[in-house]
Amino acid sequence: HLSFLESGRSRPSREMVLGLCETLDVPLRERNALLAAAGFAPLYRERSLQVAEMAPVRRALELTLQHHEPYPAVVVDRDWNLVLQNNASLRFFGLLGDPAVIWPRTCPDGRPNVMRLTFHPEGLRPYIANWAQLGPSMLNRLRREAAMLSGPHGLNALLEELLSYPGIPDQWRLADWEQPLTPILPMELAKDGLRASLFTMIAMFGTPQDITVDELRLETFFPADAATDALLQQLAGRTA
């Protein structure tokens, strides 16, 4: 029956579309697209994080950001636009430059984007000591995310924009899956004698029923060494 659906000899029922999507863990936005392609109405809504119905979601995110202090944490959407951040992220990344200056330089459209901030030559890139390893890894992750989406979306355009920045090697246009793998790949930062090493963990909601909730990601930063831990504690006015 599945081969008939693939070849167009049979039309799927609404239940079949939803069952396949659930089994394959298809993102909610893509489930709506598949339903529409099969002739059915979309099932999942896309609400603003500011509406009353989303208050529990926003509260959960805010609590998690607060509880992650004194370590940085941010919330981003599907296109890596910044949605929320905790005070620790402001304190730490503020050491690398004034956010009021860096954000307009790296994101002139006025919407802060974490990928642009990282890759732009006037963003974090000059301060990333292990850029040769971190840059390709982040691009590979962006490629994987873009490949999971159908129809028009912003990730392919974002990927091309990042690759067009001055100083990005031409060979980074091709995915490199041959890099040696380590347990984690930290971001090693250095500026004016300051050195820090952070790795990240990304979390998502477990049972999303809304497209916005499904696409939100919480990225939490952790110190990769004792010196970075002490620095983050010091910035928060604590003793490690």
Side-chain angles (χ1 to χ4, degrees), residues 63-211:
L63 282 173
T64 306
L65 291 174
Q66 292 169 12
H67 290 170
H68 197 62
E69 293 277 351
Y71 306 134
V74 298
V75 177
V76 297
D77 64 15
R78 181 183 70 168
D79 296 326
W80 289 90
N81 295 312
L82 182 67
V83 178
L84 296 168
Q85 61 182 321
N86 66 0
N87 289 329
S89 68
L90 292 171
R91 291 193 301 267
F92 177 75
F93 290 106
L95 295 175
L96 304 176
D98 183 355
V101 175
I102 292 180
W103 281 122
R105 286 178 179 172
T106 59
C107 305
D109 62 359
R111 189 165 192 182
N113 184 280
V114 173
M115 285 290 184
R116 290 191 180 100
L117 175 68
T118 304
F119 278 79
H120 199 282
E122 296 187 65
L124 298 183
R125 192 215 302 180
Y127 311 118
I128 301 177
N130 62 333
W131 178 243
Q133 294 76 40
L134 188 67
S137 178
M138 294 184 69
L139 289 174
N140 285 344
R141 180 166 68 180
L142 193 59
R143 287 188 180 97
R144 287 194 298 269
E145 294 174 356
M148 295 175 62
L149 305 176
S150 64
H153 58 81
L155 288 185
N156 282 330
L158 177 60
L159 179 61
E160 287 302 312
E161 178 183 335
L162 301 182
L163 290 169
S164 72
Y165 287 161
I168 299 297
D170 290 338
Q171 59 267 30
W172 287 12
R173 287 193 160 274
L174 299 176
D176 179 8
W177 307 113
E178 302 300 324
Q179 294 186 64
L181 298 180
T182 58
I184 55 172
L185 180 60
M187 175 186 287
E188 299 174 1
L189 298 164
K191 181 188 179 186
D192 300 332
L194 170 72
R195 299 193 68 87
S197 183
L198 298 164
F199 65 93
T200 67
M201 183 167 61
I202 295 179
M204 303 176 69
F205 284 92
T207 55
Q209 297 296 303
D210 175 274
I211 292 175

